[in-house]
Amino acid sequence: MNTKYHHIAIALAGVAQSTILIPQLANTGVCSTTLYEQSIKSVFQTSPKTTVDVFGGLHNIRTGLKTLIQLLSSGQKEQIELIRYLFGSLSITSKLIKNTDALAKIDQRLTRISGLYTDMSEETIQAHIDDLSYSLAGIYSDIVSPLATKIKVVGKAEFLQNSLVQAKVRTALLGCIRSAILWYQVGGSRLQFLFLRKRICKAAQELLLEIDNTN
């Protein structure tokens, strides 16, 4: 599976998978630990050799692929919020990728953060999850957010007013941005949502089948 649309589907699945975390955090104060840690790991993949290397393997975006297929094919009411976060991420990323100064600052901050730890293994992320959340949230607030209209996060006030939940929401958004950058790099375009939805959806389905066949 190595067509342009498979790469586009992989990158969009990454955006969708990080997007899932936002309403979870905003409405309950917690989110999927596995998906959250995966989102953080993707942010530190700044020089991947392949599209899938950003996520450490195709199996790590299985949930994102399933979500992407639902978003492209159903249009149910509960999907509207996820679609809004996804398109908001793509929109702000379109401005970010044209701003070389902002990209350089993000790279510097990520290098500084990763330098505080021996590696970015699963164990390291788990042990320092709160500190990493605040650090990555700072990158989003300081560098990414000022570039465009803020993405409005809807949820329960009791959670949205919690500083750690706020940090995790911004970290999840940074995960969305990381995958959105990848999407643009592999030839993603918002016009594809109008004219090529079925092709992208088919590619995502083929990738899911590939995951199932290797398990």
Side-chain angles (χ1 to χ4, degrees), residues 14-15 18 22 36 39-40 42-44 89 92-93 96 106 109-110 113 132-141 143-145 151 167-181:
V15 183
S18 289
I22 301 168
Y36 185 68
S39 186
I40 288 177
S42 72
V43 169
F44 287 96
S89 299
I92 199 169
T93 303
L96 174 61
I106 291 173
R109 293 271 285 266
L110 289 174
I113 293 166
L132 281 167
S133 297
Y134 282 115
S135 296
L136 294 174
I139 293 176
Y140 184 84
S141 296
I143 304 172
V144 180
S145 185
I151 297 172
K168 287 187 173 183
V169 167
R170 290 178 182 128
T171 297
L173 284 167
L174 191 62
C176 292
I177 300 299
R178 171 63 190 104
S179 292
I181 289 173

Side-chain angles (χ1 to χ4, degrees), residues 6-182:
H6 289 111
H7 293 290
I8 286 170
I10 289 168
L12 270 182
V15 183
Q17 189 161 287
S18 289
T19 296
I20 295 168
L21 302 167
I22 301 168
Q24 289 180 358
L25 288 161
N27 290 296
T28 69
V30 295
C31 65
S32 165
T33 302
T34 302
L35 298 186
Y36 185 68
E37 290 171 2
Q38 180 57 48
S39 186
I40 288 177
K41 282 192 278 188
S42 72
V43 169
F44 287 96
Q45 293 296 324
T46 54
S47 301
K49 292 181 180 179
T50 68
T51 307
V52 78
D53 281 351
V54 173
F55 310 106
L58 199 55
H59 62 284
N60 286 325
I61 54 163
R62 183 189 192 115
T63 301
L65 286 166
K66 288 183 176 180
T67 303
L68 177 62
I69 291 166
Q70 291 171 354
L71 294 179
L72 291 173
S73 57
S74 68
Q76 297 174 2
K77 284 187 178 180
E78 57 265 29
Q79 309 285 354
I80 293 173
E81 192 174 30
L82 290 180
I83 290 171
R84 186 171 63 80
Y85 293 138
L86 186 144
F87 274 99
S89 299
L90 297 182
S91 179
I92 199 169
T93 303
S94 70
K95 293 179 173 57
L96 174 61
I97 58 176
K98 297 171 187 173
N99 191 321
T100 53
D101 183 53
L103 289 170
K105 287 178 180 177
I106 291 173
D107 189 59
Q108 289 168 4
R109 293 271 285 266
L110 289 174
T111 300
R112 196 180 311 152
I113 293 166
S114 61
L116 298 174
Y117 309 100
T118 54
D119 56 38
M120 275 298 151
S121 66
E122 190 173 330
E123 293 76 16
T124 299
I125 291 173
Q126 288 173 350
H128 302 280
I129 196 75
D130 289 357
D131 289 339
L132 281 167
S133 297
Y134 282 115
S135 296
L136 294 174
I139 293 176
Y140 184 84
S141 296
D142 298 342
I143 304 172
V144 180
S145 185
L147 296 177
T149 304
K150 285 182 170 56
I151 297 172
K152 184 180 179 182
V153 175
V154 177
K156 296 181 179 178
E158 61 188 290
F159 302 120
L160 291 175
Q161 291 170 2
N162 180 287
S163 62
L164 182 56
V165 172
Q166 290 174 2
K168 287 187 173 183
V169 167
R170 290 178 182 128
T171 297
L173 284 167
L174 191 62
C176 292
I177 300 299
R178 171 63 190 104
S179 292
I181 289 173
L182 180 65

